């Protein structure tokens, strides 16, 4: 009996290590919290309502932003590299690959200030690219894509 309880406790402890409690700070546009876009349009989506657009980065989440706005590190991060959502060089084809607090994720559609080193939560890491010039009319947003394509809802 004691062994069973011990094993269950261990299992719970291990399961809890999935970056329990990591919470993104506000990322964009001087907002005090992150606003997730929940709507049917495929340019404006969250992880659960995503349609398979076949573009290879359809699993992710959109966070409301403003063209040209400063973008802050959501958590303490190491900046691993630039990361391009399309690879076609259009005006919003830029982003960062970030790691920190056990998470690995991309932030797309931003112009980075730096592409290596570290940034503290809340530190400015870039600015929002001009999404309105590429997709006029849709809400300007950042795209969060976890490296393992998992659902980022619990962190955002
Ligand atoms: C960084 O990203 C660029 C562009 O996507 C890529 O060519 C390069 O191999 C990457 N560097 C590393 C160290 O992964």
């Amino acid at each position: 009996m004691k062994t069973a309880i011990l094993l269950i406790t261990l299992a719970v402890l291990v399961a809890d290590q999935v970056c329990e409690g990591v919470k993104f700070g506000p990322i964009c546009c001087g907002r005090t919290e992150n606003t997730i876009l929940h709507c049917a349009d495929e340019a404006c989506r969250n992880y659960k309502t995503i349609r398979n657009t076949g573009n290879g980065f359809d699993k992710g989440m959109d966070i409301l932003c403003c063209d040209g706005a400063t973008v802050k590190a959501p958590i303490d991060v190491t900046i691993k590299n630039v990361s391009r959502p399309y690879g076609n060089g259009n005006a919003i084809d830029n982003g960062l690959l970030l790691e920190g607090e056990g998470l690995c994720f991309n932030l797309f559609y931003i112009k980075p200030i730096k592409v290596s080193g570290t940034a503290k939560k809340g530190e400015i890491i870039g600015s929002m690219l001009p999404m309105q010039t590429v997709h006029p009319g849709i809400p300007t947003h950042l795209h969060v894509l976890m490296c393992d394509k998992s659902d980022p809802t619990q962190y955002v």
Side-chain angles (χ1 to χ4, degrees):
M1 187 61 185
K2 277 206 174 125
T3 311
I5 290 171
L6 182 65
L7 285 176
I8 290 167
T9 308
L10 280 176
V12 169
L13 284 174
V14 168
D16 267 357
Q17 281 180 5
V18 188
C19 307
E20 166 94 354
V22 176
K23 203 72 191 167
F24 281 13
I27 299 176
C28 204
C29 210
R31 290 169 182 274
T32 53
E33 58 185 37
N34 293 313
T35 304
I36 299 168
L37 294 182
H38 295 281
C39 38
D41 188 305
E42 70 184 48
C44 154
R45 59 203 171 176
N46 70 60
Y47 188 82
K48 292 194 174 67
T49 59
I50 249 157
R51 283 185 268 158
N52 189 348
T53 57
N55 59 10
F57 65 100
D58 54 307
K59 283 184 165 23
M61 179 174 283
D62 293 335
I63 295 178
L64 205 57
C65 195
C66 321
D67 282 18
T70 54
V71 174
K72 296 173 179 174
I75 54 175
D76 291 352
V77 289
T78 300
I79 300 168
K80 304 300 286 187
N81 200 355
V82 295
S83 176
R84 302 190 193 284
Y86 304 114
N88 65 3
N90 76 13
I92 60 171
D93 188 25
N94 210 345
L96 284 173
L97 174 61
L98 304 170
E99 273 181 22
E101 301 188 36
L103 303 181
C104 172
F105 58 101
N106 299 272
L107 282 185
F108 287 143
Y109 314 135
I110 69 176
K111 178 183 172 193
I113 284 175
K114 55 181 183 178
V115 298
S116 63
T118 59
K120 288 280 178 204
K121 182 175 187 170
E123 190 178 327
I124 293 170
I125 54 172
S127 57
M128 178 71 211
L129 286 165
M131 183 167 278
Q132 293 306 315
T133 68
V134 180
H135 300 299
I138 70 165
T140 292
H141 61 270
L142 296 172
H143 192 76
V144 179
L145 176 67
M146 306 309 289
C147 297
D148 64 2
K149 311 276 169 72
S150 62
D151 182 355
T153 304
Q154 63 177 312
Y155 313 120
V156 179

